Amino acid sequence: MSKLDPSSDEFRAAGHRMIDWIADYLGGVDRYPVLARVKPGEIESRLPDAPRQDGRPYAALADDFQSKLLPGVTHWNHPAFFAYFAITGSQAGILAELLTAALNTNGMLWRTSPSLTELETVTLRWLREALGLPDDLFGIINDTASINSFLALAAAREALGLDIRGLGMTGRDLPPLRVYCSEHAHSSIDKAALALGIGASGIVHIESDEKFRMRPDALETAIARHRAAGALPCFVVATTGTTSTGAVDPVRAVGEIARREKIWLHVDSAYAGSATVCPEFRWIWDGLEYADSIVVNPHKWFFTPIDCSVLYTRKPDVLRQTFSLVAEYLKTTDSSELNYMDYGLQLGRRFRALKLWYVMEHYGLERLRGVIRDHVRYAERLADELRAKPGVEVMTQSFSVVVFRLTAGDEATMAAMERMNASGRLFLSHTKLRGRYGIRVAIGNGATEWEHVARVLEFLS
Ligand SMILES: Cc1ncc(COP(=O)(O)O)c(C=O)c1O
């Protein structure tokens, strides 16, 4: 047989069955325990040791998927998934993912799929407007905020004027570089700094205030101290919606310092950025005129299936200067073509804009606003109800994140969380604030209703 797929009949039938299964799944995810109940190695032990020489029909794969793999799936699309940051594989997003795989286009150059490139440009312009962001921002989609922050730091490092692209960082006399972020910034900032040769000693975690926000005075002091010691400040990160608590760093105050000190300001709004589709949350952008780059994750709270993270920057020329490298076989003659490969590490690029477009077009911004507002309302209500419970302390609530603890102590807090997770009815994760454990409830799935959030209360008599 010379062709891989000689006919589309089997595909059509299996595809119809799969869509039916997905529709039933989405309508009844609540039947499954949120957190997978398997032990390490259990799924692996169910699978054959070696690949098959002959193929099997799709029906056999569907059976194996259900019996062997599904039990090991933690259901991120469950309406009572509140761990880390809840996300949504929305129906619109799922359909777009199907089309993306069918087209299998690779957007390395404009000409390798003009629609991929131009839809990315258009959806990111729409998203910018939808979130009330300034219109002088260039946008690009990559897989994750971790990668986007890495790209931003690489550009900031290049912008220092040390010709790191040309000469590298070793074998010459360079000042030690410094990256500043709050003690509550996401670990991806640290990882980017490690990968880019800043070194762990160059990462400065600035203290936060009583509301877990970066303290600008502490930032200023640290920068002055490092300059006096001969170090070169390179990158400041303000997080608007931190991972542990949803706290919002004061972008304006941090930005004023960054501008004065000529340091690249990166705003990490991977989580809460999506909430600014509602005008009442746009206060988090106050001071954004100082930002050189911003990250927003539609795959977190904008109902777009993972992965889809957006990097906006006012300095696309610096990003390009950092990353553009055009091999002979990629050269084109028309310089008016936008080739996104010039603005990052990846050459091959998925058609991620398609799912963002499907989500924005199918639901419309008003529907998205409604769901986000409900999530914030549920979080506020949960915080109120938790405060009314004896023995429970609400440590913080911001956007759709609530963190609480049991006054009986860390052990009791963690035991309560384990009990909730073992029930299969909900899934929560924890954090540590000022040395004490807290249970995080992060609401963000498009199917979540109050009754799902209220499950937290059932376990706290
Ligand atoms: C504030 C913040 N930034 C960055 C990230 C990393 O996101 P990603 O998984 O897209 O790399 C997270 C993840 O939770 C986050 O909360």
Side-chain angles (χ1 to χ4, degrees):
M1 224 187 301
S2 62
K3 280 168 79 182
L4 189 63
D5 290 312
S7 132
S8 55
D9 295 345
E10 195 187 3
F11 170 76
R12 191 183 304 278
H16 286 163
R17 280 197 303 272
M18 188 176 278
I19 288 285
D20 281 344
W21 186 88
I22 292 172
D24 290 343
Y25 172 75
L26 294 178
V29 191
D30 213 357
R31 284 199 307 268
Y32 298 93
V34 193
L35 181 62
R37 290 175 162 156
V38 291
K39 303 246 171 334
E42 200 175 321
I43 299 300
E44 195 179 339
S45 71
R46 293 180 189 175
L47 299 168
D49 286 336
R52 305 175 65 85
Q53 299 300 326
D54 57 336
R56 286 195 300 160
Y58 291 124
L61 293 182
D63 286 348
D64 270 11
F65 167 73
Q66 300 226 21
S67 62
K68 296 181 179 166
L69 297 180
L70 204 51
V73 169
T74 289
H75 294 277
W76 284 74
N77 241 354
H78 195 295
F81 186 110
F82 305 123
Y84 316 108
F85 278 119
I87 55 178
T88 308
S90 58
Q91 294 180 3
I94 292 167
L95 289 177
E97 284 284 41
L98 201 57
L99 266 186
T100 299
L103 297 174
N104 203 29
T105 53
N106 183 339
M108 38 193 214
L109 300 168
W110 175 85
R111 64 180 49 194
T112 61
S113 200
S115 286
L116 187 158
T117 296
E118 295 191 15
L119 190 69
E120 187 157 330
T121 305
V122 170
T123 49
L124 296 192
R125 195 176 68 228
W126 287 0
L127 184 70
R128 201 180 62 200
E129 277 177 31
L131 304 184
L133 290 167
D135 58 14
D136 58 347
L137 295 170
F138 165 92
I140 181 169
I141 300 180
N142 284 295
D143 55 357
T144 57
S146 304
I147 292 302
N148 277 330
S149 293
F150 171 92
L151 300 181
L153 177 54
R157 196 183 63 164
E158 202 51 38
L160 293 172
L162 300 171
D163 193 16
I164 287 173
R165 174 171 175 146
L167 303 173
M169 289 180 74
T170 55
R172 63 187 178 127
D173 197 17
L174 282 185
L177 306 186
R178 292 287 178 268
V179 167
Y180 303 87
C181 59
S182 111
E183 57 187 334
H184 289 286
H186 191 262
S187 55
S188 53
I189 304 300
D190 299 55
K191 276 199 183 181
L194 294 177
L196 286 163
I198 311 284
S201 59
I203 306 166
V204 186
H205 296 118
I206 302 293
E207 288 156 57
S208 56
D209 66 11
E210 74 294 346
K211 290 191 169 161
F212 311 106
R213 304 170 295 198
M214 174 150 62
R215 277 183 39 200
D217 59 318
L219 173 67
E220 210 161 16
T221 308
I223 292 171
R225 195 175 60 244
H226 295 144
R227 282 214 196 274
L232 183 57
C234 168
F235 195 62
V236 178
V237 182
T239 310
T240 49
T242 60
T243 314
S244 276
T245 69
V248 176
D249 289 340
V251 179
R252 177 164 298 284
V254 171
E256 279 165 5
I257 296 167
R259 175 68 56 90
R260 199 167 56 238
E261 297 284 341
K262 297 190 171 49
I263 310 174
W264 185 292
L265 174 65
H266 180 63
V267 174
D268 180 355
S269 210
Y271 155 63
S274 298
T276 62
V277 69
C278 309
E280 65 270 29
F281 298 125
R282 292 198 186 144
W283 60 268
I284 71 170
W285 298 142
D286 180 46
L288 209 66
E289 64 269 26
Y290 296 113
D292 296 290
S293 52
I294 302 154
V295 166
V296 177
N297 270 11
H299 77 219
K300 276 196 169 39
W301 204 9
F302 212 67
F303 314 104
T304 307
I306 193 162
D307 46 14
C308 183
S309 174
V310 177
L311 175 66
Y312 283 116
T313 179
R314 286 199 165 89
K315 296 187 172 157
D317 46 329
V318 181
L319 204 55
R320 194 187 162 113
Q321 184 188 321
T322 310
F323 287 108
S324 180
L325 180 70
V326 187
E328 187 53 42
Y329 40 83
L330 294 168
K331 285 194 176 136
T332 55
T333 46
D334 185 350
S335 61
S336 70
E337 294 170 5
L338 169 63
N339 299 321
Y340 277 116
M341 69 159 190
D342 289 333
Y343 298 87
L345 269 183
Q346 281 185 248
L347 169 61
R349 317 186 68 249
R350 296 184 70 227
F351 198 172
R352 293 193 182 94
L354 193 64
K355 55 186 167 179
L356 182 56
W357 183 66
Y358 254 65
V359 165
M360 292 176 83
E361 284 280 86
H362 178 69
Y363 299 114
L365 300 185
E366 210 36 55
R367 182 111 153 251
L368 302 180
R369 283 186 196 108
V371 180
I372 286 176
R373 285 184 178 128
D374 276 348
H375 290 169
V376 176
R377 267 196 288 270
Y378 297 156
E380 287 166 352
R381 178 168 170 191
L382 178 68
D384 283 346
E385 301 213 10
L386 285 168
R387 279 189 201 101
K389 286 211 172 270
V392 177
E393 178 199 336
V394 173
M395 301 171 92
T396 182
Q397 181 263 317
S398 177
F399 295 100
S400 65
V401 177
V402 182
V403 186
F404 69 96
R405 62 185 287 275
L406 301 191
T407 52
D410 280 349
E411 227 172 274
T413 302
M414 294 306 280
M417 187 180 81
E418 295 306 334
R419 254 196 326 278
M420 294 186 210
N421 290 345
S423 77
R425 284 173 52 70
L426 70 172
F427 179 32
L428 306 163
S429 57
H430 74 280
T431 188
K432 208 172 202 182
L433 299 175
R434 299 193 190 96
R436 292 193 307 210
Y437 284 115
I439 303 176
R440 270 177 86 260
V441 186
I443 304 162
N445 182 269
T448 299
E449 298 191 54
W450 169 249
E451 54 139 329
H452 303 109
V453 179
R455 291 179 191 182
V456 174
L457 301 165
E458 289 170 17
F459 292 82
L460 305 165
S461 48

